[in-house]
Amino acid sequence: MQIPYKVLKAVSLFAPVDDVRYYLNGVLIDSTGTDVRLVATNGHVLGLYRLEQEAPAAQAILSIKDVKMLLGTVKRATEKDLPFDVEIRTEEPGGPMITVKHPNGIAVTVRPIEGTFPKYSRVLPTNASGDVAQFNPEYLDLFAQADRVLGELKRPNTPFVYVHHNGAASALVECQHDDAFVGVIMPQAIGPVHKPSEMAAGLT
């Protein structure tokens, strides 16, 4: 399967490094046979990218440490336009292995993270109530970073994301510059409804 550099980089933004839920510390590569999905989540936000390509059905979690190592091997801008070639071998004697190659000559074989990745399809919202919610701005920024990576935006160009508000339930997030990406963010509980400050009212 072919995984673009920018796709791996964008999705990896949503993977933690040392979560106690060790199976989250990486990027899930999920080949269904008819498409390839890259998924990462820290439990509060989730990023998913769908590649329309055929590949043998297989699943493996590429650790975030290995992801960063692979991204670090691609230095030149011209190399970043070339995809990684990824093969998941599930029938190895010692357990599944992932081989990743790049046209720049890099070829590595790593062992995926053992464990079961969460059923990501279950958390994808199928509708949006429109009820306004509050969100952790640091998590929202992850989506802005992903949009910048996927859109290959150079400053001062600004990334843009769409949050489909869904009240107390998880909200769907879309990036402006790549509709193959979809995200999920959990709302932040802030207690009683916060009213505009008296200072703000005094300035009107």
Side-chain angles (χ1 to χ4, degrees):
M1 64 191 79
Q2 302 287 312
I3 298 179
Y5 171 93
K6 66 179 182 180
V7 171
L8 184 59
K9 182 176 181 179
V11 175
S12 71
L13 293 169
F14 300 88
V17 176
D18 57 0
D19 197 293
V20 293
R21 297 162 294 181
Y22 63 93
Y23 47 83
L24 295 184
N25 298 324
V27 174
L28 173 69
I29 303 173
D30 182 13
S31 175
T32 68
T34 57
D35 63 12
V36 176
R37 303 168 186 180
L38 271 66
V39 190
T41 180
N42 64 8
H44 301 281
V45 288
L46 176 146
L48 183 155
Y49 195 98
R50 179 173 177 264
L51 296 160
E52 295 184 4
Q53 57 179 266
E54 295 183 1
Q59 270 194 3
I61 306 171
L62 184 61
S63 78
I64 189 62
K65 293 181 180 178
D66 287 332
V67 169
K68 290 182 177 182
M69 177 272 293
L70 290 166
L71 293 174
T73 64
V74 183
K75 304 292 187 180
R76 299 176 181 176
T78 53
E79 294 179 350
K80 294 178 181 180
D81 292 332
L82 304 173
F84 292 103
D85 183 72
V86 180
E87 179 185 10
I88 301 173
R89 303 197 306 278
T90 59
E91 303 300 326
E92 294 297 306
M97 300 296 288
I98 305 174
T99 296
V100 184
K101 300 178 181 178
H102 191 272
N104 66 3
I106 295 298
V108 298
T109 297
V110 298
R111 191 171 298 281
I113 294 177
E114 295 183 4
T116 303
F117 199 84
K119 296 288 186 181
Y120 60 87
S121 59
R122 294 179 180 176
V123 303
L124 295 173
T126 56
N127 53 38
S129 67
D131 295 335
V132 175
Q134 302 298 323
F135 303 100
N136 185 323
E138 293 182 350
Y139 292 152
L140 287 174
D141 184 58
L142 292 176
F143 293 103
Q145 292 180 50
D147 189 52
R148 182 174 292 282
V149 171
L150 294 171
E152 300 179 351
L153 303 180
K154 305 297 183 182
R155 299 186 186 281
N157 294 322
T158 303
F160 193 84
V161 298
Y162 303 93
V163 179
H164 299 273
H165 285 264
N166 201 23
S170 57
L172 191 72
V173 184
E174 295 178 290
C175 287
Q176 181 185 43
H177 293 94
D178 197 328
D179 58 11
F181 174 90
V182 67
V184 177
I185 185 169
M186 294 298 297
Q188 183 174 18
I190 58 173
V193 176
H194 185 73
K195 298 180 180 180
S197 69
E198 293 181 1
M199 178 180 176
L203 296 175
T204 59

